[in-house]
Amino acid sequence: VDNAPAPHLPRIDGRQAARRERLAAQRVAIDESTRLPVLVFFASAVSWLLAGSLLADVASIKLHAPWFLSSASWLTFGRVRPAHLNTVIFGWASMAGIGTMLWLMARLSRAELRYPRMLVAAAVLWNVGVLVGTVGILGGHSTGIEWMEFPPYVPPILTAAFAILAVWSILTFHDRREAHVYVSQWYLFAAIFWFPWLYIAANLLLIFRPVTGVTHASINWWFAHNVLGLWFTPIGLASVYYLIPKVLGRPIYSYYLSILGFWALALFYNWNGAHHLVGGPLPAWLITTSIVASIMMLIPVVTVAINHHSTMVGHFGLLRYSPTLRFIVFGAMSYTAVSVQGSLQALRHWNVATHFTHYTIAHSHLGMYAFFTMVMFGSMYYIVPRLTGWEWASARLIRAHFWCTAVGILFYFLALTYGGVLQGLRLNDPKISFVDVMNGTVPYLIARSGAGGLLTVGHVAFAILLAMNLLHLGAPRSAPMLLGDRAEYERELASAQAEGEAALAAGAEEDGR
Amino acid sequence: MNQGPTIFLGALLTFAAAWLGLCFAPWAQLGHLPPAESKKGDVYPNPLVGPAAEGREVYIANGCLYCHSQQVRPAGFGSDKERGWGRRTVARDYLYDRPHLLGTMRTGPDLTNIGKRRPGGGGREYHHLHLYNPRFTQPGSIMPPFAFLYETRKVVGQPSRDALKLPKGHEPPPGFEVVPTREAVALVAYLQSLDRSYKLPEAEGP
């Protein structure tokens, strides 16, 4: 599907052409080895996305219509909300991320996955863990620890599944035929170590041999923030770093900015956790440290933004055609937005108003949805046809998916951010009664339910597309599904590819990954 | 950067450094904090026992923490003090909290000192009515009803002393009464136990 030499590109010599052919055959073999596990992870992820959306819609409606579904204990807001969070974090986002990671690792190492069936076993185990955990939360067995509410019998299941994934990823990395380790692999390689350390350490210190008091809170938020920083962010960035150059056919702007961005993230993101406790009963040094680290995050964020933007610049017109690029670039821009916002809101003067309000929920959705989820959609648009050998069935459904999710999350973010800031400023004014403050948020909570409904419609559209692709439904197509005119797309793509070819002509090694 | 070991070592060191800072250091500083003891010999805080301890589990199981915080910020930082939620809270107030229930949202009011604000029999009655249907006690509230923690049952012999005095138009059918389940009793016992008003030297000042 990819890298078929286009007629408008400069002629290449016979040796280069032979190498290209060999690499293409290799990619086919690698994709073949990843097909089953990656598709199982993706299909599971999208199923959890639908379940998580349903839980989210129910929770959202309850906040302005508290009588809604209120007669059963398992449907009370305080259970549906953490059930939503955990299904989308561990079910949707993690499984989509793992699928992407497995495929990227194999492609970037130029190595087939060994015994892919073991990875399917890991997916089954992971699904069992998320299902048991979600039922456990709804049944009233939550641990009460935010971001790790799954009952204590679930973490061992997820840890076992993760052990398989970690060993397989390291094996794939070890088997690599490619000497050059691309920036995406640094992120993936780090994430594959960070997440199990983080998850096991947090479980030991919070659930199995729990510390007590405010130390519990500090470790809780060290964990919760690092799930974003050391697990989802590296996977999301790895995907962006791979897919923008891949779709454009030109290399990433700067290798040195990649290095700086990676190490600055490793150094600073780790320390952000206590900014969730600004104003709380913890030592001032601890919270100040996290605020400083949050501000320092501007370094990796700006670095990565410059690197991605400079790769894209001049080729934004391609967003009209490529579904992958459209979702990926939306996600990458949101990463910059959410990170800069995150740095600033850690400041005490900002935090004092926004901390205990719906503003925070808007921020977390800007991160987990507008950034990570959109990047995962983009990755799936690229990866799935290469595994199923079947192109996406309908441009109309892809457009529906994009516009429902893009407009939906923007509306979601604006409504809750505005409502949240208002809520925070009024909360800090003791002349306004608490009930009045709360009632003032209701219009924005209703708007959020509308936005959530729009997101759900987008998810259903994508689920239909994925099901049609897996079942080879729709008309067979010989070329990738585009959202605009093919001839115009190729003309615009040609200028990007010409830059890639120029780099090759100048002596760069062909990157066959 | 083509070396696996370089990335591994870097990932390990950055991770371990922050673990030392955000997990180990607070534990080393506060993990062995003793309770306070007044000249009269009373000790603060005390571990929860009996129904209050059980009620904490009900509080967790039903996710009260997603709307109610249990932390009071210092005077001058927000209006926590002016809203009557109590003095600023400090690490010692939470000695026996496991898991912590500091919370991150104030869709509802802070509950750090709810036991002090609504004490005794009147407080108990208020909480039961409020939990059964929050709009009985607080018109316009968006808190969900927890009627599933109550039981409507036939009166056998004497009516129960714990039966809820529901407002007009919401009473159970004649011959029936609404009584709290064991869980509701425990939850209210927990709420009434929440009192972090003890004068701690480190909580003096703003």
Side-chain angles (χ1 to χ4, degrees), chain A residues 388-406:
Chain A
T388 58
W390 196 259
E391 297 299 339
W392 297 103
S394 157
R396 187 174 294 172
L397 274 177
I398 299 177
R399 267 191 224 106
H401 177 211
F402 179 77
W403 288 111
C404 284
T405 50

Side-chain angles (χ1 to χ4, degrees), chain A residues 149 181 212 218 255 285 427, chain B residues 1-2 22 29 66 79 95:
Chain A
E149 285 96 341
V181 182
T212 168
S218 182
Y255 173 75
W285 68 259
L427 264 178
Chain B
M1 221 163 69
N2 290 330
L22 299 189
Q29 183 181 351
Y66 299 106
S79 68
L95 275 193

